Amino acid sequence: MALAHVLGVPRIGPNRELKFALEAFWRGEIDEAALRSTASGIRQANWRRQHAAGLDFVTVGDFAFYDQMLNHVALLGCAPQRFGFGAPLALPEYFQLARGNGACQAMEMTKWFDTNYHYLVPEFTPETQFSLDPGWLFEELAEAQTAGFDAKPVLIGPLTFLFLGKEKPGKEKAVGFDRLDLLERLLPVYAQILARLNAQGIEWVQIDEPILALDLPPEWRSAFERAYHHLNTAGAKLLLASYFGPLRDNLLGALKLPVAGVHVDGIRGGDELAQVIDWLPATRILSLGVIDGRNVWKTDLTAALERFEGLHARLADRLWLAPSCSLLHVPVSLAGEAALDAEPGNWLAFAEEKIAALATLRTAFNQGRQAVAAELSANARALASRHASSRVHDAAVAARLAALTPVHDGRNSPFPLRQAAQRKRFKLPDFPTTTIGSFPQTPEIRRARARFKADALSEADYTAAMQREIGYAIAKQDALGLDVLVHGEAERNDMVEYFGEQLAGFAFSHNGWVQSYGSRCVKPPILYGDVSRPRPMTVGWARYAQSLTGKPVKGMLTGPVTMLQWSFVRDDQPRAATALQIALAIRDEVADLEAAGIGIIQIDEPAYREGLPLRKADWAAYLDWASRAFRISASGVGDATQIHTHMCYSEFNDILPAIAAMDADVITIETSRSDMELLRGFGEFSYPNEIGPGVYDIHSPRIPDTAEMTRLLEKAARVIAPDRLWVNPDCGLKTRGWTETETALAHMVAAARAMRESARAAIR
């Protein structure tokens, strides 16, 4: 009999209960007991849903107050030494690791593989030691067991935990230190965890090693064998889980490991399933990802049955059914989405619906299709509706895409000529200051937007309210002395959703929130059809902002790759084709902004690195169409119009040629949490255009002083020519308050002026 389980579920709650409780706790409005009570309620509800759907286990350990990697930093007693915390961590200390404090910057944050989820990067030094925190994981397990659930705990595996971390300088210099050297110290603590779980009555432990979907250095690949021979002695049965892609050259090694079962991604890695079956030891469980855990389209249940029924006949009770990965990456439920566009809404499945589909497949495998005939029939009707819909395809969009030629994806002149024209036009000082785009989204802004959407505020009154906010932001920037201003994006709910709402081919949920990091949630648009721009989207706001100041105001747009990556994207055509459709729509907006007199236009691509395939062999094809999509969006303007782009929270050094191929006049990047480490590669590569490395972290309430920002700029000026350096924060400021924003920007402007004075003094 086939079993069914999930690798993890969303932890924010159906109505973002965790977000609101976290933020209330950080503001001091609720105490720790109230926060923990909210968290317990979310966990209990998640377990009840899994149990009610007929899954054979509930998953424990997938909940986190902030991030699962940070949870393991706490569990393994290895908080960064610079914080000076002991073990176990208190909850306020846990949050200081994520958000920083007066003395320490927050831990570095980056993307979780190729998703829009951000994780906290563990820091390892030669002195790093590990010790078991006897608290949260075992308490949550006891909570589930007390409630009567058959639990399957989940851990991030030791190799993935180390691999996704970074080496940092220790108290003493250690020549050739490699974080893999810490494995022998780490494994005994993992063995303690497994033994403790076994003592609490646990039979199966899911241990996630998603780095098996990556190109691994030989020493990391060989480390798996000794690691799992060590862990195999701890008593619990291990389900080794990999996801986000095929195993390829790691496949045979993974299947040889001494574990009781393996999970493989049948959606992204389905092509190698025959090899998996051939090499799977006769006693081993196979957990197969048969439901897409990364997207929101309904699974074709009949096709899944036809594809995997033979496998079930062969493996019988050795087959477990699961989503491809954790359902963390999709919204909680379609319940309450009555306002969602009905036609595309019928094509969707969020986490709760995916769990139900998984249960349907389990029943069909075990009892036959007739036992779920009604569910299969409804599923087939929904899929047929999508296939036949006239809203999916637009002949005009297809014709425009077919007419693209190389002339559409290049600027008129090379960068040095454009740079000269732009310097003549804008006459900016050295180390020009700007921000990334957004300013604080105050309660007043949010109330006005909510009232407007509820038809409680007229369009004229809403426009007037937003213009007041734009005027306030412009005046503040002028007073602070910034050189290039932004309108502040008061009218925007989200940098992707705002544009998707104005483009054809998108639908929107009411409550389809997904965690991005900590309490930050996003509501991705649902991109179901061909994309076009019916009318200008930002021109009126930009023109108004520019009318308030003599300084240049940037037009602010979201780029085609980020629109693609941060939406739930149609799966019926190549992603490259969809990206080019979006690029053409953005190109039209860029042309209209230029015609309206906006001389600096920023096309943000924070998700550019995120879209990179996990395997290097697949990179070239992606980078080719991704950089082309950006160039198409940006290249229909004159030399004196300056194109900016912004990227954040990613490792860029291995794709710098592709970033250079985007040919943006100015790129701004996140560098403060890494202490400018990310900038070094741009210098070694001799990045040809202008660059603005972020000098302070906007994701933390910590406000660095002028001296700290100046020190970072001095480091930057050692690797990038000072006449090509801009000064800016790491990212947009929408999540911050005005008081901290003004203070931080005043320090930033002062740091830029200090750099100018130092440059003048050096000339004298």
Side-chain angles (χ1 to χ4, degrees):
M1 184 173 74
L3 275 63
H5 71 120
V6 293
L7 278 64
V9 296
R11 54 191 179 228
I12 58 175
N15 295 297
R16 292 182 291 162
E17 290 86 351
L18 181 61
K19 168 188 173 65
F20 299 123
L22 283 171
E23 292 172 356
F25 177 72
W26 295 336
R27 291 191 300 265
E29 296 170 0
I30 64 172
D31 61 14
E32 184 173 325
L35 176 60
R36 290 187 180 278
S37 176
T38 297
S40 176
I42 293 170
R43 290 193 297 269
Q44 294 276 352
N46 286 343
W47 296 332
R48 285 195 297 271
R49 288 190 200 99
Q50 294 170 56
H51 181 74
L55 302 190
D56 294 281
F57 305 98
V58 302
T59 301
V60 173
D62 57 335
F63 178 84
F65 280 109
Y66 202 97
D67 165 56
Q68 67 266 18
M69 286 290 280
L70 183 58
N71 270 20
H72 282 66
V73 168
L75 177 66
L76 299 166
C78 58
Q81 295 167 340
R82 59 192 173 89
F83 282 86
F85 296 153
L89 282 178
L91 192 60
E93 293 173 334
Y94 171 98
F95 289 129
Q96 288 179 55
L97 297 181
R99 307 178 75 231
N101 59 31
C104 295
Q105 285 188 343
M107 291 172 64
E108 188 176 341
M109 186 165 63
T110 195
K111 298 292 178 70
W112 179 249
F113 295 83
D114 58 346
T115 76
N116 187 30
Y117 179 80
H118 303 64
Y119 74 93
L120 277 297
V121 180
E123 299 177 15
F124 301 119
T125 72
E127 297 86 24
T128 296
Q129 299 292 331
F130 303 96
S131 61
L132 177 61
D133 180 339
W136 69 267
L137 175 63
F138 308 104
E139 291 167 0
E140 289 178 15
L141 174 58
E143 181 183 8
Q145 291 174 321
T146 300
F149 299 117
D150 191 359
K152 177 205 58 174
V154 56
L155 297 169
I156 293 171
L159 275 305
T160 291
F161 182 72
L162 289 176
F163 190 85
L164 296 183
K166 281 190 174 181
E167 293 98 354
K168 297 288 183 178
K171 294 178 181 177
E172 300 179 7
K173 274 196 171 182
V175 177
F177 168 63
D178 186 325
R179 61 195 182 279
L180 184 57
D181 299 339
L182 299 174
L183 182 62
E184 305 310 320
R185 296 182 204 169
L186 180 59
L187 289 175
V189 182
Y190 266 87
Q192 283 181 267
I193 295 169
L194 295 173
R196 175 83 176 262
L197 293 173
N198 191 45
Q200 283 187 239
I202 290 302
E203 180 182 10
W204 283 94
V205 176
Q206 174 187 319
I207 190 159
D208 288 0
E209 294 283 13
I211 63 168
L212 287 167
L214 304 179
D215 297 312
L216 293 176
E219 62 272 21
W220 285 86
R221 292 175 63 187
S222 62
F224 271 89
E225 185 173 358
R226 74 175 187 272
Y228 280 86
H229 275 288
H230 187 116
L231 300 183
N232 189 42
T233 63
K237 293 180 180 177
L238 299 183
L239 178 70
L240 179 76
S242 180
Y243 39 81
F244 296 152
L247 295 167
R248 294 186 182 171
D249 53 342
N250 299 321
L251 193 153
L252 183 56
L255 293 178
K256 285 183 174 180
L257 293 177
V259 293
V262 293
H263 171 87
V264 298
D265 186 336
I267 303 300
R268 289 190 166 192
D271 291 346
E272 64 182 19
L273 188 56
Q275 287 178 288
V276 171
I277 300 305
D278 286 343
W279 292 346
L280 186 74
T283 58
R284 199 73 48 88
I285 292 292
L286 175 65
S287 170
L288 181 61
V290 297
I291 301 279
D292 189 349
R294 292 279 298 270
N295 217 327
V296 294
W297 307 107
K298 284 183 175 175
T299 299
D300 187 333
L301 298 180
T302 300
L305 288 169
E306 291 172 352
R307 184 180 180 192
F308 300 123
E309 276 175 332
L311 180 59
H312 178 232
R314 181 172 174 179
L315 296 180
D317 58 359
R318 291 170 53 217
L319 177 65
W320 292 9
L321 306 175
S324 58
C325 61
S326 171
L327 297 175
L328 172 71
H329 309 289
V330 296
V332 175
S333 174
L334 280 168
E337 293 289 354
L340 179 63
D341 191 326
E343 187 176 17
N346 189 38
W347 309 335
L348 305 178
F350 292 173
E352 191 170 301
E353 291 74 33
K354 287 178 183 291
I355 290 172
L358 188 67
T360 296
L361 288 174
R362 178 186 183 277
T363 301
F365 278 129
N366 293 334
Q367 300 178 29
R369 297 191 193 190
Q370 70 283 353
V372 288
E375 290 90 337
L376 295 178
S377 178
N379 176 258
R381 288 194 301 273
L383 296 174
S385 165
R386 182 183 176 197
H387 180 74
S389 175
S390 61
R391 299 175 61 186
V392 173
H393 300 289
D394 183 331
V397 173
R400 191 177 182 196
L401 206 62
L404 282 175
T405 67
V407 75
H408 293 101
D409 63 290
R411 298 288 293 274
N412 296 328
S413 303
F415 173 70
L417 295 180
R418 304 198 309 266
Q419 184 183 50
Q422 292 159 17
R423 288 183 173 180
K424 181 179 179 181
R425 177 179 183 180
F426 299 116
K427 299 179 176 61
L428 297 173
D430 291 338
F431 301 98
T433 55
T434 189
T435 65
I436 303 305
S438 60
F439 272 104
Q441 290 266 315
T442 63
E444 292 77 15
I445 290 173
R446 296 180 188 278
R447 275 195 295 271
R449 186 185 303 122
R451 292 185 64 211
F452 177 58
K453 287 196 169 187
D455 293 325
L457 190 67
S458 71
E459 184 171 358
D461 287 342
Y462 175 71
T463 298
M466 294 301 101
Q467 287 181 340
R468 285 193 297 273
E469 297 291 344
I470 291 169
Y472 183 82
I474 293 291
K476 286 290 186 184
Q477 293 170 83
D478 262 330
L480 286 163
L482 288 160
D483 300 305
V484 175
L485 313 188
V486 297
H487 80 291
E489 303 180 15
E491 81 287 0
R492 303 186 188 182
N493 44 9
D494 174 82
M495 65 181 294
V496 174
E497 184 176 9
Y498 174 79
F499 290 98
E501 286 175 337
Q502 301 181 77
L503 294 171
F506 286 85
F508 297 88
S509 65
H510 170 71
N511 204 34
W513 298 97
V514 178
Q515 185 181 28
S516 180
Y517 63 86
S519 68
R520 171 73 170 145
C521 299
V522 295
K523 187 153 61 72
I526 298 156
L527 204 172
Y528 67 86
D530 288 342
V531 178
S532 61
R533 187 195 71 146
R535 63 191 65 85
M537 301 179 287
T538 66
V539 175
W541 301 115
R543 185 188 287 117
Y544 177 75
Q546 187 63 79
S547 74
L548 302 176
T549 179
K551 293 181 177 180
V553 177
K554 289 190 284 190
M556 300 299 305
L557 306 173
T558 302
V561 175
T562 297
M563 289 289 295
L564 185 84
Q565 286 297 126
W566 291 358
S567 298
F568 291 120
V569 182
R570 59 191 294 188
D571 56 0
D572 60 339
Q573 71 176 14
R575 292 173 70 86
T578 305
L580 293 178
Q581 291 179 1
I582 302 169
L584 288 170
I586 300 299
R587 181 186 180 93
D588 293 342
E589 188 73 10
V590 170
D592 283 348
L593 284 168
E594 183 185 52
I598 305 301
I600 301 179
I601 301 169
Q602 182 169 309
I603 307 172
D604 287 340
E605 286 289 23
Y608 187 85
R609 176 62 171 80
E610 173 190 314
L612 196 68
L614 298 181
R615 297 288 191 151
K616 288 188 176 180
D618 304 325
W619 284 11
Y622 164 77
L623 292 170
D624 180 64
W625 63 254
S627 61
R628 182 176 183 233
F630 180 86
R631 292 194 306 273
I632 286 171
S633 72
S635 62
V637 294
D639 289 353
T641 296
Q642 189 174 74
I643 297 294
H644 289 224
T645 191
H646 172 67
M647 298 180 176
C648 60
Y649 293 105
S650 292
E651 297 285 357
F652 303 117
N653 293 347
D654 48 4
I655 59 167
L656 285 172
I659 292 176
M662 295 167 68
D663 200 25
D665 298 307
V666 181
I667 180 175
T668 55
I669 59 172
E670 173 275 323
T671 52
S672 69
R673 283 201 183 192
S674 67
D675 202 45
M676 290 288 167
E677 281 183 21
L678 289 174
L679 191 61
R680 186 178 298 113
F682 284 83
E684 293 170 353
F685 174 71
S686 297
Y687 184 77
N689 300 6
E690 297 182 11
I691 186 166
V695 296
Y696 81 93
D697 173 26
I698 66 86
H699 294 89
S700 168
R702 177 179 177 271
I703 300 173
D705 59 22
T706 298
E708 182 176 325
M709 295 190 197
T710 303
R711 180 185 65 81
L712 289 175
L713 284 171
E714 289 170 346
K715 287 188 71 173
R718 290 197 284 269
V719 295
I720 301 292
D723 66 346
R724 293 193 291 115
L725 276 175
W726 286 63
V727 182
N728 46 262
D730 273 344
C731 202
L733 296 160
K734 68 182 294 184
T735 61
R736 305 264 56 94
W738 267 110
T739 299
E740 60 184 308
T741 293
E742 288 185 72
T743 304
L745 290 180
H747 293 171
M748 187 186 83
V749 170
R753 289 171 176 166
M755 294 297 292
R756 293 169 197 157
E757 181 57 34
S758 294
R760 284 192 291 268
I763 294 173
R764 291 196 296 266

